[in-house]
Amino acid sequence: MPETSTDNLIVAGRTFQSRLIIGTGKYADYQQNADALAASGADIVTVAVRRVNLSDASAPMLADFIDPEKTTYLPNTAGCFTGEDAIRTLRLAREAGGWDLVKLEVLSDPKHLYPDMEETLRAMKLLKEDGFEVMVYCSDDPVFARKLEDLGAAAIMPLGAPIGSGLGIQNPVNIRLIIEQSSVPVIVDAGVGTASDATVAMELGCDGVLMNTAIAEAKDPVRMARAMKHAVIAGREAYLAGRMPKKLYADPSSPLAGLI
């Protein structure tokens, strides 16, 4: 498909040209974050409401470097370990910026940062009743993914590997099962370490990839952001093209019949 194609990411009725979502944490400063965003071509940035300065004018503010009128802010509940904390955090975000498209994550343990799926389901239900459009970080479990979609999730966001680990897609079978059963976007969230990981996620059929540490902690974050942009595009193009089947034996590129 040509680069002018309208193969866009659509979440909760909103259209985004890029299928890459990046974060706003761990960068050296907001300027580096803004430069990485420009290089990535992303339309959405996640904003950890409990950690990013959105309102204190006496200190550097994210909005001074990344314009919320030009880039979609996706408030998230990073650092929340209970449903109550997550719901309170997102309600504060809505009051502060009017944001109703949000990312929910409720963590279970500071060591591995896997989601607490029971708390996630409970918070998802309450947020949906409160009028939010919720993109949900979850385990790579097709059963829980289905339950989240049944509750009205705007996007399912299974982890590829533990947050910040950079291990890449550890369970492609489960990710593929989630993709096949879902009618909402599936976006790999967490675990991507380098460009090839992002390409693998997209080749599996994911609708997008979210990453933070892979870019922010690279030796050259801006160059890595550019690499991730191309990796996501390449993976999507390969998925749409349809790869050749894998074979047990060689198959010559040229016919053997009629050789001189």
Side-chain angles (χ1 to χ4, degrees):
M1 299 178 68
E3 291 186 0
T4 55
S5 166
T6 55
D7 177 45
N8 297 318
L9 173 64
I10 300 175
V11 181
R14 308 175 196 201
T15 300
F16 304 98
Q17 293 184 336
S18 174
R19 292 177 178 272
L20 173 61
I21 301 172
I22 74 167
T24 53
K26 298 186 176 182
Y27 289 91
D29 50 42
Y30 286 147
Q31 184 59 60
Q32 186 185 67
N33 197 166
D35 293 342
L37 172 63
S40 75
D43 301 314
I44 306 173
V45 293
T46 60
V47 179
V49 179
R50 306 180 81 188
R51 298 171 181 162
V52 173
N53 180 25
L54 295 172
S55 57
D56 182 3
S58 65
M61 294 176 61
L62 180 64
D64 293 334
F65 297 84
I66 298 176
D67 187 348
E69 297 297 322
K70 298 179 180 178
T71 300
T72 296
Y73 277 28
L74 183 67
N76 73 12
T77 57
C80 291
F81 288 84
T82 68
E84 282 76 15
D85 281 348
I87 293 166
R88 186 182 308 113
T89 297
L90 293 177
R91 285 173 176 166
L92 288 171
R94 183 164 61 183
E95 290 178 12
W99 299 296
D100 59 1
L101 179 64
V102 297
K103 178 193 164 192
L104 171 66
E105 60 181 69
V106 184
L107 306 176
S108 59
D109 187 289
K111 183 176 182 180
H112 55 63
L113 299 179
Y114 269 73
D116 182 329
M117 290 310 302
E118 290 183 353
E119 283 290 280
T120 299
L121 286 167
R122 188 168 66 86
M124 168 70 216
K125 184 175 184 296
L126 294 172
L127 287 167
K128 190 65 181 176
E129 291 172 351
D130 206 13
F132 287 95
E133 295 290 351
V134 190
M135 302 169 68
V136 192
Y137 169 65
C138 60
S139 60
D140 56 355
D141 183 335
V143 177
F144 277 116
R146 171 68 74 186
K147 291 180 178 181
L148 288 168
E149 183 172 352
D150 289 344
L151 287 173
I156 306 298
M157 308 180 79
L159 56 85
I163 292 172
S165 68
L167 292 171
I169 309 299
Q170 295 296 294
N171 197 342
V173 173
N174 275 20
I175 298 294
R176 186 64 184 167
L177 288 172
I178 292 171
I179 292 166
E180 289 177 355
Q181 74 180 16
S182 299
S183 58
V184 297
V186 175
I187 300 170
V188 160
D189 178 6
V192 169
T194 190
S196 57
D197 298 331
T199 301
V200 167
M202 297 305 295
E203 288 179 346
L204 284 171
C206 289
D207 296 282
V209 181
L210 189 155
M211 64 187 72
N212 184 58
T213 308
I215 295 176
E217 292 195 352
K219 292 181 179 179
D220 185 338
V222 176
R223 175 166 285 185
M224 182 61 80
R226 190 177 302 113
M228 292 299 188
K229 170 185 176 179
H230 295 299
V232 168
I233 292 171
R236 178 65 177 175
E237 292 286 274
Y239 171 73
L240 293 175
R243 65 155 292 147
M244 62 167 284
K246 294 183 179 180
K247 302 173 184 177
L248 293 176
Y249 301 99
D251 185 3
S253 299
S254 301
L256 293 178
L259 293 178
I260 297 175

